[in-house]
Amino acid sequence: MTAVMLSDTAHRGGFLTNGSFLTVTSHPTTTSPVLRGKWIMGQLLCQDVPPPPNNVQIKLDESKAGMQSLRQRLEEHHSNPCAVCHTVMDPLGFGLENYDPIGQYRTMDGTFPVDASGTLPDGRMFDGPAQLADLIAKDPGFATCVTQKLYTYALGRGPQASPNHMDPALMDGYATAFRTGGYALPALVTAIVTGDTFTKRRGEP
């Protein structure tokens, strides 16, 4: 077997720098810190993001496209009605601005240096995708959220919340093992697909 050596691996590591994820959370010709940040909040942290108010202009002023970086245009664009959500979403997306709309690593956004730093409302700071990934992994809701998403995908239903159901105890055990095991996704998959809720099914009435 011959090993295949990939170039530019210094800027790759983990899911957040995967080209497919970075592409589907971008627009055709520009990145979208908003879409990337919203995806992280919803799919990795299980935090719902409400839609923008009906009377808010959500499109950027394209006349400034060559005079400002995308980050500068977004920061200038957001008005007070949108600030509550965007102060959380956008910094997460800005942390991935080193990757263009198809996931290629870059240091420049046009003629402007990429600024991949961010500060969340609770004061947590990061600079670049590696520190962003570390911040997300340390979030108290990360392990539980990923476990819930994968469990739902595997079983075709969401976990039940009733204390009399077996799901709450299973979810807690899976999430704890995922966290203490260093977030090893294969181990989480194995735990779910070998568990009773996946391997056994109650008979039809």
Side-chain angles (χ1 to χ4, degrees), residues 3-179:
V4 177
M5 303 302 294
L6 301 177
S7 62
D8 199 25
T9 55
H11 304 298
R12 302 292 169 182
F15 177 80
L16 292 179
T17 59
N18 184 284
S20 58
F21 158 70
L22 294 163
T23 301
V24 299
T25 52
S26 295
H27 297 304
T29 59
T30 63
T31 61
S32 177
V34 176
L35 290 179
R36 289 175 176 178
K38 182 178 180 180
W39 194 98
I40 290 171
M41 288 184 66
Q43 303 303 315
L44 299 183
L45 301 176
C46 290
Q47 297 180 13
D48 293 330
V49 180
N54 292 329
N55 60 340
V56 171
Q57 173 58 255
I58 62 174
K59 292 185 178 181
L60 295 178
D61 183 358
E62 293 301 322
S63 66
K64 297 183 179 181
M67 297 181 287
Q68 296 176 314
S69 68
L70 178 60
R71 176 172 183 146
Q72 291 171 330
R73 292 163 63 204
L74 279 171
E75 291 175 335
E76 183 179 279
H77 171 77
H78 295 147
S79 56
N80 288 331
C82 299
V84 173
C85 293
H86 282 283
T87 53
V88 181
M89 281 193 303
D90 292 3
L92 296 173
F94 289 145
L96 300 173
E97 272 294 275
N98 278 120
Y99 300 92
D100 72 9
I102 59 172
Q104 294 184 111
Y105 185 81
R106 63 181 184 174
T107 58
M108 301 290 290
D109 174 12
T111 59
F112 302 93
V114 168
D115 179 0
S117 64
T119 303
L120 297 184
D122 61 8
R124 288 177 295 170
M125 302 173 65
F126 62 89
D127 189 1
Q131 291 184 18
L132 171 62
D134 185 60
L135 180 151
I136 294 170
K138 291 178 179 177
D139 190 285
F142 171 69
T144 299
C145 182
V146 172
T147 300
Q148 289 177 352
K149 296 292 184 180
L150 193 59
Y151 190 83
T152 300
Y153 178 79
L155 271 67
R157 65 166 179 82
Q160 299 295 311
S162 170
N164 296 324
H165 198 280
M166 66 190 305
D167 279 353
L170 283 174
M171 292 295 299
D172 183 64
Y174 292 152
T176 299
F178 182 48
R179 186 182 301 109

